[in-house]
């Protein structure tokens, strides 16, 4: 355990170092190297390395969405057993995710990250803006005629639709379908391992992607990236403090300050591991010991939340979609933005609670609304930093949903929730 944690920390530092080196190299070559030298470096080294990294990430998307979504939906099979609580928590998780991404889109439309009035990036594939589809068509075309074709074409909404039904089918069949579910769960685990392996190459990919962009675009692009990271973090803070604070007060009927006082150590774990899954044990412990939520509820809703509830990830995807559109000088129509809300909300069910899973799913959202997938390269270069913040929002949303549902069932132990907590007991955890 300790070993993997160390490894993770080391990878994070490597990626951040690669980011810094890539920025440095990009600036130096932009300012001091002759244009033909830059062309050569880019053609022979940076472009191939960056492309291999991006392609490896894209490679995982379709099988991952399929397997993780089927597994995610099937993991809700227990809903039948937990009945009302299951229904409430799933509705809460879905609604808050859609709300989070809507806020992200509104704020991004105001701040316009990436729209600095400077040169827009050229998309290698030339802008692929599809005509905005008629809104009803979006729903009609969610239903695949041939799911294999959807997979070949990478039509994500159709794959999602099929995967959800498949997961439901497994749930309904129950015991008999268990072997199949096991296979899917195992495939899911393998795919997550592959993401882990691909991420081992991230320092090289990040170096190549960022230095190539800066080499040709100059430092203007850095300003754009700062704006992107700034807007994502701003929206995440609005979500984690204001939206969740109001939810705690109005829906949970408790004092929000007490929540944050007791919950911050869990947030620190999420921040440092960038993994909702890795945070499950401390989250469970905090829910039961400090917040007064019965284990009966949290043992179901926290792992479920780590699997299907990704408010922070959805925020990142919303801001990233607007950012990429701005950077490429495109405009996202209202329909396309609604499509982002729909796709990202559904995608959050299938986003695994591990580092970088959200950015893999981002390529799917981009694809669905017709934005250039190379845009993901830009966002990828700073994703490590953003991941830490969004994971913190993700797991905070899980705990707050759990608390609200527990209180609505009159199962919240308010004496425990309102009790004072000593600083040492926070630190010991
Ligand atoms: N790292 C996030 C989490 O574990 C998922 C993501 O990459 O957005 O919640």
């Amino acid at each position: 355990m300790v070993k993997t944690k160390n490894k993770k920390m080391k990878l994070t530092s490597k990626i951040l170092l690669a980011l810094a080196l890539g920025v440095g190299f990009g600036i130096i070559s932009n300012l001091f190297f002759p244009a033909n030298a830059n062309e050569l470096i880019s053609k022979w080294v940076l472009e191939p390395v960056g492309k291999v990294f991006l392609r490896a990430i894209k490679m995982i998307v379709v099988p991952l969405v399929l397997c993780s979504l089927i597994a995610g939906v099937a993991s809700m099979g227990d809903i039948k057993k937990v009945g009302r609580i299951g229904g409430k928590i799933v509705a809460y998780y879905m609604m808050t995710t859609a709300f989070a991404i809507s806020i992200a889109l509104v704020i991004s439309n105001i701040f316009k990250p990436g729209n600095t009035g400077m040169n827009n990036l050229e998309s290698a594939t030339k802008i692929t803006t599809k005509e905005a589809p008629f809104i009803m068509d979006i729903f009609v075309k969610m239903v695949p005629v041939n799911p294999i074709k959807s997979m070949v074409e990478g039509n994500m909404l159709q794959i999602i639709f099929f995967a959800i039904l498949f997961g439901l089918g497994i749930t309904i069949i129950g015991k008999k379908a268990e072997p199949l579910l096991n296979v899917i769960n195992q495939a899911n685990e393998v795919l997550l391992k592959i993401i882990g392996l691909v991420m081992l190459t991230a320092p090289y990919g990040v170096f190549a992607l960022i230095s190539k962009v800066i080499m040709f675009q100059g430092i203007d692009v850095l300003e754009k990236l700062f704006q992107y990271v700034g807007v994502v973090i701003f929206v995440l803070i609005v979500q984690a403090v204001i939206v969740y604070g109001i939810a705690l007060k109005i829906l949970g009927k408790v004092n929000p300050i007490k929540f944050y006082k007791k919950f911050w150590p869990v947030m620190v774990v999420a921040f440092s591991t960038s993994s909702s899954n890795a945070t499950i044990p401390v989250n469970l412990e905090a829910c039961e010991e400090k917040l007064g939520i019965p284990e009966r509820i949290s043992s179901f809703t926290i792992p479920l939340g780590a699997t299907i509830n990704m408010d922070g990830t959805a925020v990142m995807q919303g801001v990233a979609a607007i950012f990429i559109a701005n950077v490429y000088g495109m405009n996202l129509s209202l329909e396309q933005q609604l499509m982002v809300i729909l796709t990202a909300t559904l995608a959050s069910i299938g986003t695994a609670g591990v580092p970088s899973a959200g950015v893999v799913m981002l390529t799917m959202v981009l694809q669905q609304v017709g934005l250039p997938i190379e845009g993901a390269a830009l966002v990828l270069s700073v994703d490590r930093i953003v991941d830490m913040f969004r994971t913190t929002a993700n797991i905070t949303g899980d705990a707050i949903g759990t608390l609200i549902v527990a209180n609505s069932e009159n199962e919240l132990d308010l004496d425990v929730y309102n009790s004072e907590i000593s600083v040492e007991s926070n630190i010991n955890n």
Side-chain angles (χ1 to χ4, degrees):
M1 193 63 209
V2 175
K3 216 172 148 203
T4 39
K5 217 171 166 184
N6 272 341
K7 237 164 105 191
K8 258 177 209 147
M9 288 313 291
K10 259 170 72 194
L11 181 63
T12 304
S13 335
K14 274 191 202 161
I15 295 175
L16 295 178
L17 182 68
L19 177 63
L21 290 175
V23 169
F25 182 71
I27 294 176
I28 292 172
S29 46
N30 177 269
L31 296 178
F32 304 113
F33 292 1
N36 54 355
N38 283 346
E39 291 287 348
L40 276 181
I41 300 173
S42 166
K43 191 171 155 202
W44 284 90
V45 185
L46 302 181
E47 218 177 281
V49 173
K51 273 195 178 153
V52 165
F53 180 54
L54 262 187
R55 289 176 71 100
I57 286 195
K58 284 196 249 164
M59 164 184 85
I60 313 163
V61 177
V62 169
L64 182 71
V65 174
L66 189 70
C67 294
S68 60
L69 204 50
I70 295 175
V73 173
S75 76
M76 292 192 261
D78 292 1
I79 286 176
K80 278 186 289 185
K81 282 186 230 146
V82 283
R84 211 174 45 216
I85 294 173
K88 277 188 190 173
I89 197 73
V90 172
Y92 174 88
Y93 283 160
M94 292 295 99
M95 270 157 35
T96 47
T97 304
F99 192 67
I101 187 165
S102 308
I103 299 178
L105 288 175
V106 170
I107 296 183
S108 304
N109 278 307
I110 297 171
F111 285 110
K112 302 195 187 340
N115 191 353
T116 50
M118 297 165 188
N119 293 342
N120 291 322
L121 293 191
E122 289 284 312
S123 160
T125 50
K126 217 46 211 162
I127 307 308
T128 47
T129 4
K130 288 182 200 150
E131 272 294 294
F134 172 51
I135 189 84
M136 292 319 285
D137 271 358
I138 297 177
F139 294 102
V140 171
K141 290 190 179 151
M142 266 178 81
V143 185
V145 184
N146 176 350
I148 307 284
K149 187 163 168 247
S150 319
M151 286 173 221
V152 172
E153 289 173 350
N155 185 323
M156 290 305 161
L157 276 186
Q158 295 185 350
I159 299 175
I160 290 174
F161 186 88
F162 178 72
I164 291 177
L165 278 187
F166 204 95
L168 281 177
I170 289 182
T171 308
I172 295 165
I173 289 179
K175 255 208 137 22
K176 237 164 83 194
E178 245 170 37
L180 175 61
L181 181 59
N182 285 340
V183 171
I184 291 169
N185 274 324
Q186 284 158 6
N188 197 23
E189 259 179 53
V190 172
L191 287 162
L192 292 179
K193 258 274 147 327
I194 298 179
I195 296 193
L197 291 177
V198 171
M199 287 317 286
L200 287 180
T201 68
Y204 308 99
V206 164
F207 177 90
L209 293 171
I210 191 83
S211 54
K212 187 195 152 204
V213 174
I214 297 177
M215 176 183 276
F216 293 113
Q217 306 292 328
I219 20 192
D220 293 359
V221 79
L222 272 188
E223 189 187 336
K224 296 183 187 197
L225 278 175
F226 271 128
Q227 290 174 353
Y228 163 71
V229 176
V231 174
V232 178
I233 294 176
F234 176 70
V235 182
L236 287 174
I237 293 174
V238 169
Q239 173 78 16
V241 179
I242 301 180
V243 178
Y244 289 159
I246 294 174
L248 279 169
K249 186 88 202 142
I250 295 180
L251 300 175
K253 303 181 186 73
V254 291
N255 176 352
I257 313 269
K258 281 226 145 69
F259 175 87
Y260 290 108
K261 262 192 179 161
K262 293 182 168 188
F263 196 71
W264 70 263
V266 185
M267 296 167 92
V268 173
V269 174
F271 190 80
S272 50
T273 58
S274 295
S275 167
S276 297
N277 285 358
T279 317
I280 291 175
V282 272
N283 201 348
L284 279 175
E285 199 256 1
C287 283
E288 288 153 27
E289 306 287 320
K290 296 180 192 157
L291 302 175
I293 300 166
E295 194 189 343
R296 180 175 91 74
I297 295 180
S298 59
S299 64
F300 164 62
T301 56
I302 293 293
L304 182 67
T307 317
I308 69 163
N309 185 40
M310 303 274 167
D311 297 351
T313 303
V315 163
M316 175 277 283
Q317 292 172 343
V319 180
I322 300 276
F323 167 72
I324 291 168
N326 284 341
V327 165
Y328 284 96
M330 301 159 73
N331 250 332
L332 280 190
S333 64
L334 188 62
E335 277 90 350
Q336 279 172 311
Q337 298 201 23
L338 289 175
M339 182 67 117
V340 172
I341 298 180
L342 184 66
T343 329
T345 305
L346 293 174
S348 76
I349 305 176
T351 306
V354 298
S356 311
V359 80
V360 176
M361 291 299 195
L362 172 69
T363 59
M364 162 190 131
V365 176
L366 298 180
Q367 188 159 330
Q368 194 60 42
V369 289
L371 284 168
I373 300 198
E374 311 91 80
L378 274 180
V379 169
L380 251 175
S381 59
V382 287
D383 193 62
R384 205 55 180 193
I385 302 164
V386 173
D387 200 1
M388 299 165 106
F389 287 91
R390 69 173 181 258
T391 307
T392 309
N394 286 346
I395 56 99
T396 308
D398 301 340
I400 291 176
T402 299
L403 185 144
I404 289 172
V405 170
N407 210 8
S408 76
E409 295 283 314
N410 287 325
E411 297 235 19
L412 185 69
D413 188 336
L414 284 170
D415 290 339
V416 176
Y417 184 87
N418 289 320
S419 67
E420 285 308 321
I421 184 156
S422 67
V423 176
E424 292 102 85
S425 90
N426 247 344
I427 287 171
N428 283 340
N429 285 314

